[in-house]
Amino acid sequence: MPFSPFDYQPRTRLIFGNGTLSQVGELTRELGGKRALIVSDPGIVKAGYVTRAASYLLAAGVLTRVFGDVRENPSTEDVDRCVDAAREFRADFIIGLGGGSSMDTAKGCNFIYTNGGQMQDYWGTGKATKPMLPMIAIPTTAGTGSECQSYALISDAVTHVKMACGDVKAAAKVAILDPELTVSQPHRVTVCTGVDALSHSLEAAVTNKGNAYSTVFARESFRLCHEGFTRILAEPKDLEARGQMLLGAAYAGIAIENSMLGAAHSCANPLTAKFHVVHGEAVGVMLPHVIRFNAALPECAAVYASYYAGDLAARIQELLALAQMPVKISHHGVTEADLPALAEMALKQWTAQFNPRPLTLEDFVNLYRAAL
């Protein structure tokens, strides 16, 4: 596929390896942090990872407060509550510890805490005019790649529209990739986030915004995620495979930062908004049909063939079945009558414009119908 010009300066230091969570205290201190707010969710708090991180911070002389109430698919309400905690504590450093929801909430908090206003003010790119706090991102799932992105995905609590709020200042200074933190995940979390990571690598590979830089990371991301996901389905405690998935998800995040996403994510968001489908399941069930749609373009077909020597769409459906994930949207209660409204929503999604093959309203209806 033709390459676009690019100008990219890496903003996030990557630290990968088993046990690297132990470095969080020294890294925070090196970056000037004295009062760190840890942003996480109840499941990660219960798993004990927040307590471990706090102990490392305290040992390094960093005062610590925990906001542990992040919800899945965070809204502006979650961000506002996190901002209240940051203000009360007078935080000068932010740590996002958890899945994409925790990291996005941490970034969202950073926007408002440092620049004021509300989340809607930062919808788009580069709208923060003041400096932002340094942040460390520590993913506990191998999925979103948020640790390597400068965007926070936050839903409007009233309209339920998912807003992508981006600024280079919002990117984490450091991402700690510790595979040991992902082993305790429930099976469903592992497969949903894993499919999300796979979708990121495959969508980033063919967008109309892709460039030589994003292509390198998308390709290696797919290699790592495809092999790692297959191994984890057979042996969930395979720590090396967990590492492959975690690194692959981060690489996909770098690819997205440089190429954006496509129609599978445009189709997924309405399924989440209207039928409360978990994001990984929503994007997974639509991905094979988007691959087939895009493969009508010879350049996309060539990319897909270089990634997988066979029917890539069928392989994704095979992985969904092996992971015991739905392969039809009717499983989630979607009917033929719902398709026009879903298509209207999908057409308005931000990522639709980056799909390599342009889509009409009818195209979206047909994609949903194929998945029905």
Side-chain angles (χ1 to χ4, degrees), residues 12 59 80 128 141 143-144 161 168-169 182 237 239 269 289 323 348:
T12 302
D80 290 342
T141 62
T144 66
V161 172
V168 294
K169 298 185 291 294
T182 70
K237 300 296 184 184
L239 193 56
N269 291 338
H289 306 288
K348 295 174 183 176

Side-chain angles (χ1 to χ4, degrees), residues 73-92:
N73 295 316
S75 73
T76 48
E77 291 177 349
D78 297 280
V79 172
D80 290 342
R81 289 186 294 116
C82 187
V83 171
D84 289 342
R87 286 174 176 157
E88 181 184 349
F89 180 54
R90 292 178 289 114
D92 64 8

Side-chain angles (χ1 to χ4, degrees), residues 109-347:
C109 169
N110 205 351
F111 273 105
I112 298 175
Y113 180 58
T114 57
N115 279 259
Q118 56 186 354
M119 207 68 245
Q120 290 85 344
D121 298 331
Y122 305 101
W123 190 359
T125 304
K127 296 185 178 180
T129 58
K130 300 175 183 177
M132 297 173 70
L133 296 188
M135 173 179 156
I136 291 178
I138 310 172
T140 59
T141 62
T144 66
S146 180
E147 65 274 12
C148 292
Q149 297 172 45
S150 60
Y151 282 81
L153 294 178
I154 306 294
S155 296
D156 186 307
V158 177
T159 66
H160 306 295
V161 172
K162 189 168 280 193
M163 301 178 291
C165 306
D167 195 289
V168 294
K169 298 185 291 294
K173 297 295 184 187
V174 178
I176 296 176
L177 308 178
D178 186 343
E180 292 178 354
L181 302 182
T182 70
V183 176
S184 64
Q185 290 175 9
H187 170 79
R188 188 160 183 262
V189 173
T190 294
V191 297
C192 286
T193 56
V195 167
D196 193 25
L198 280 166
S199 75
H200 289 166
S201 63
L202 289 172
E203 290 229 280
V206 296
T207 65
N208 56 30
K209 200 172 181 290
N211 55 54
Y213 194 85
S214 64
T215 297
V216 169
F217 284 95
R219 182 178 298 278
E220 181 64 3
S221 169
F222 179 77
R223 187 189 71 80
L224 288 167
C225 288
H226 182 249
E227 182 178 331
F229 191 70
T230 304
R231 288 173 59 178
I232 286 172
L233 290 178
E235 178 44 67
K237 300 296 184 184
D238 185 335
L239 193 56
E240 183 177 271
R242 292 277 179 181
Q244 288 180 302
M245 288 297 301
L246 190 60
L247 191 57
Y251 284 176
I254 295 172
I256 293 169
E257 186 80 354
N258 289 273
S259 65
M260 298 302 175
L261 293 164
H265 280 76
S266 302
C267 290
N269 291 338
L271 291 173
T272 298
K274 289 185 69 71
F275 291 90
H276 309 291
V277 182
V278 173
H279 177 71
E281 290 188 340
V283 75
V285 76
M286 296 307 304
L287 183 59
H289 306 288
V290 171
I291 289 172
R292 293 188 179 109
F293 177 83
N294 288 339
L297 295 178
E299 56 268 36
C300 287
V303 171
Y304 293 146
S306 72
Y307 273 48
Y308 184 75
D311 187 335
L312 179 60
R315 176 56 179 163
I316 298 301
Q317 289 181 313
E318 180 184 15
L319 288 174
L320 293 175
L322 288 171
Q324 299 177 317
M325 296 174 72
V327 295
K328 296 286 185 182
I329 59 175
S330 56
H331 175 92
H332 300 291
V334 180
T335 67
E336 176 72 27
D338 298 311
L339 303 190
L342 287 171
E344 288 274 6
M345 292 177 68
L347 189 62

Side-chain angles (χ1 to χ4, degrees), residues 349-367:
Q349 295 296 312
W350 186 55
T351 57
Q353 64 187 300
F354 305 114
N355 199 69
R357 184 181 172 192
L359 296 105
T360 64
L361 182 65
E362 185 179 3
D363 289 327
F364 275 115
V365 169
N366 289 334
L367 283 172

